[in-house]
Amino acid sequence: MGLTKFVSHHHDDGDNKSPNILVNGMGRFSKDEEKTDTPLASFNITQGYRYRFRLISNSILNCPIQMSIDNHTMKVLASDGYPIVPIEVDAITIAAGERYDFVINANQTPDNYWIRFHGLIDCAPLKAHQVAILHYEMADFDEPEGLVNYENCYVDGKVLNPVNVAPGTEDDITVAELNSTSKADENWNKEPDVKIWLAYDFYEVNNLHFHDPEHYPIFLVPHRRKLFTPQLNRISLKMPPVPPLSQPSDVPYERFCNTTTVGDCKNEFCECIYVEHVPLGSLVEMIIIDEGNTFDATHPFHLHGSAFRVLAMERLGNVTTLDDVLALDAAGKIERKFSAAPIKDTVSVPDGGYAVVRFIADNPGYWLFHCHLSFHVEVGMGLIFKVGEQEDFPPVPRNFPTCGPWLLNREDADLPPRSTSAIVFEEETTTSVSSNNNESNVVDLNINVLDLVQELSNKFKSSAVATAPTILVFSVVLFLSF
């Protein structure tokens, strides 16, 4: 389902909108007067007790979900697994990758109560919503009364983590306004060792995976046909071909990049292995900026390997720029909260605003920082932190599996060596990738592969056996030719 929607959205007229929400894999769906009667998720409680719930969103789309429980408030105790000073709310908005722990007090008349889920942003066009049941012991197993629809699954009141809202509003509580129960080390207050500015948006650039500058330029196609590319600092992350932690000798370090090594990414599509190298033990500050020009969206950014403290958050308007936020910071107008700043590993930045986070880089290795929306990270909305040096990394276990391209050579195929005048297959495949004269090299490669296939066919008498290596060889050629 996810792959189908991705291909349809990026290469055709399909959309990335979700029609439904599931709760613990359960739920109902209505469309064009057709209604499913499948079971709903149900949670059994006993009057007089308190119950701790752990709310997790494994959403892959830009679909924050507001959750509420009829006749009950929720006392939130933790965010992303890190404890906070408890806060009581009427609803929680959870973005992809986030987690919240909350407690409810079972102090209502024993009955059945709706737990409501209301989809926002990309879940709004198709009115995606869902319900579950809070069932009190001694109550009948009837469903709660009342009509359930998209509109009444949204509730007013005190909402935690609202979408695209700045701190300071009366009823809404942003994550930056939460307070951690863990006292921050005094080192958090000092000037950071590394300061990284990350501005992002959807950019109108000829992403070579979707727009050929000569035959299908983004500036000449209708708006509905344009694929706006989500990027950090106008760079698309290309994943390394091998795991850099376990195969350091195979890593193409020359393909690493950052904002100091790329060219004119505003006018040209920049795609590379985007790496920010930070010293082990350093205090790192990230100022994450949603410029907000193309769509009114929200991006939940997730950091692997560490958690950060959220020091500041603001929405400056519908749009902003990196220069705007740089000017604010230079003027001392970004107030950072050092006392009891909440600890998280996922944060949604307000559209047209910014968030300031800090973490101590004490976990050596390569760690991904990325938008948690699959349609965005899959096309490069992220970067890799390299924390420390190679000697700081844990040793690779003996006989640890390796990854990389599989290329059939003559020795592996148990074939006699070619004459010295012939070009070796392995060398030629390498040349066809790196040479600028791709056309002639690819032709030579195909000829040699055909020779190799012919020799394999002669070697194996059974056509059934010979079929498998033939398919494998041609799959390699197709990959290299592109």
Side-chain angles (χ1 to χ4, degrees):
M1 177 64 178
L3 179 61
T4 301
K5 288 188 75 70
F6 179 87
V7 173
S8 180
H9 173 58
H10 286 79
H11 295 279
D12 205 342
D13 288 331
D15 62 53
N16 58 350
K17 309 299 184 282
S18 175
N20 200 18
I21 298 168
L22 297 179
V23 180
N24 287 356
M26 306 175 74
R28 293 178 183 163
F29 179 61
S30 301
K31 182 180 180 181
D32 300 331
E33 300 182 356
E34 295 183 8
K35 183 177 180 180
T36 62
D37 194 25
T38 50
L40 298 172
S42 181
F43 303 90
N44 302 321
I45 62 174
T46 301
Q47 187 183 40
Y49 287 83
R50 292 181 300 166
Y51 292 84
R52 182 168 186 160
F53 286 73
R54 289 183 167 90
L55 178 64
I56 304 169
S57 173
N58 66 347
S59 170
I60 66 169
L61 299 177
N62 191 7
C63 178
I65 299 170
Q66 188 205 72
M67 175 197 170
S68 62
I69 306 175
D70 287 2
N71 293 28
H72 295 77
T73 58
M74 295 171 284
K75 183 173 286 188
V76 184
L77 307 177
S79 177
D80 295 348
Y82 295 91
I84 60 172
V85 175
I87 183 169
E88 194 163 2
V89 298
D90 299 300
I92 299 171
T93 302
I94 185 168
E98 287 191 304
R99 293 88 69 205
Y100 288 97
D101 291 26
F102 64 86
V103 169
I104 65 167
N105 191 355
N107 57 4
Q108 298 298 303
T109 303
D111 204 343
N112 298 295
Y113 298 87
W114 286 125
I115 305 175
R116 301 175 186 263
F117 300 86
H118 177 92
L120 303 166
I121 304 187
D122 281 354
C123 273
L126 299 181
K127 298 186 175 182
H129 66 284
Q130 194 53 261
V131 288
I133 298 173
L134 186 69
H135 171 75
Y136 274 76
E137 186 182 13
M138 305 302 294
D140 293 333
F141 282 93
D142 298 327
E143 291 189 1
E145 296 181 357
L147 176 69
V148 174
N149 56 36
Y150 178 74
E151 287 71 23
N152 66 25
C153 277
Y154 182 87
V155 300
D156 294 317
K158 185 178 288 188
V159 179
L160 173 60
N161 196 30
V163 175
N164 292 336
V165 172
T169 59
E170 183 176 353
D171 291 330
D172 297 319
I173 303 168
T174 67
V175 296
E177 296 170 283
L178 299 176
N179 292 296
S180 172
T181 59
S182 301
K183 185 178 179 180
D185 187 277
E186 62 181 12
N187 289 332
W188 288 87
N189 299 359
K190 70 174 187 177
E191 187 68 19
D193 302 304
V194 180
K195 196 169 184 177
I196 300 173
W197 295 83
L198 297 173
Y200 65 84
D201 206 341
F202 296 87
Y203 296 107
E204 191 175 18
V205 64
N206 281 316
N207 184 328
L208 302 182
H209 300 287
F210 305 102
H211 287 282
D212 183 282
E214 181 179 356
H215 302 291
Y216 195 65
I218 190 171
F219 303 103
L220 297 182
V221 300
H223 187 275
R224 65 186 180 88
R225 292 288 187 181
K226 294 182 178 182
L227 198 290
F228 294 92
T229 301
Q231 295 177 307
L232 287 174
N233 289 339
R234 293 185 176 268
I235 300 173
S236 290
L237 169 65
K238 185 177 181 64
M239 289 295 185
V242 297
L245 187 65
S246 60
Q247 294 176 239
S249 60
D250 298 328
V251 173
Y253 294 104
E254 69 279 3
R255 300 185 198 171
F256 281 18
C257 72
N258 54 44
T259 54
T260 66
T261 63
V262 294
D264 180 14
C265 297
K266 186 174 182 179
N267 297 303
E268 301 292 336
F269 176 58
C270 290
E271 182 182 47
C272 47
I273 305 174
Y274 188 0
V275 177
E276 291 286 354
H277 187 188
V278 298
L280 182 63
S282 59
L283 177 62
V284 181
E285 179 174 279
M286 289 191 288
I287 302 92
I288 314 166
I289 305 162
D290 186 333
E291 295 180 324
N293 287 290
T294 310
F295 301 113
D296 185 15
T298 185
H299 300 263
F301 274 91
H302 176 68
L303 176 63
H304 291 240
S306 296
F308 46 72
R309 287 187 182 264
V310 183
L311 305 186
M313 181 179 289
E314 188 58 82
R315 191 180 194 196
L316 304 176
N318 291 328
V319 298
T320 190
T321 66
L322 171 61
D323 289 340
D324 291 340
V325 184
L326 280 167
L328 286 174
D329 193 46
K333 294 183 179 180
I334 297 180
E335 184 177 349
R336 290 160 172 81
K337 171 184 174 180
F338 295 112
S339 176
I343 306 173
K344 289 177 64 65
D345 58 32
T346 305
V347 64
S348 291
V349 182
D351 191 59
Y354 64 82
V356 180
V357 304
R358 286 186 180 185
F359 70 96
I360 296 177
D362 56 3
N363 192 3
Y366 290 88
W367 301 105
L368 187 62
F369 177 72
H370 64 98
C371 176
H372 213 283
L373 308 179
S374 293
F375 282 20
H376 298 170
V377 67
E378 284 296 329
V379 294
M381 197 175 195
L383 61 83
I384 298 170
F385 279 104
K386 180 185 179 184
V387 178
E389 305 295 341
Q390 188 63 43
E391 57 267 24
D392 299 318
F393 299 165
V396 180
R398 183 181 301 173
N399 298 323
F400 194 75
T402 59
C403 300
W406 182 86
L407 300 176
L408 181 64
N409 56 43
R410 304 186 65 80
E411 183 179 352
D412 293 334
D414 192 23
L415 293 173
R418 285 187 181 274
S419 64
T420 55
S421 60
I423 299 176
V424 179
F425 176 69
E426 287 183 307
E427 293 177 357
E428 196 166 85
T429 56
T430 303
T431 303
S432 70
V433 176
S434 59
S435 171
N436 291 325
N437 188 13
N438 285 329
E439 183 177 355
S440 61
N441 284 312
V442 170
V443 171
D444 290 339
L445 172 62
N446 285 320
I447 291 173
N448 280 331
V449 169
L450 290 174
D451 290 345
L452 183 58
V453 171
Q454 183 62 51
E455 292 191 49
L456 283 169
S457 299
N458 295 335
K459 179 178 178 63
F460 296 102
K461 301 301 182 182
S462 169
S463 60
V465 175
T467 302
T470 302
I471 295 174
L472 287 174
V473 169
F474 275 103
S475 67
V476 172
V477 173
L478 290 173
F479 173 77
L480 292 175
S481 296
F482 287 113

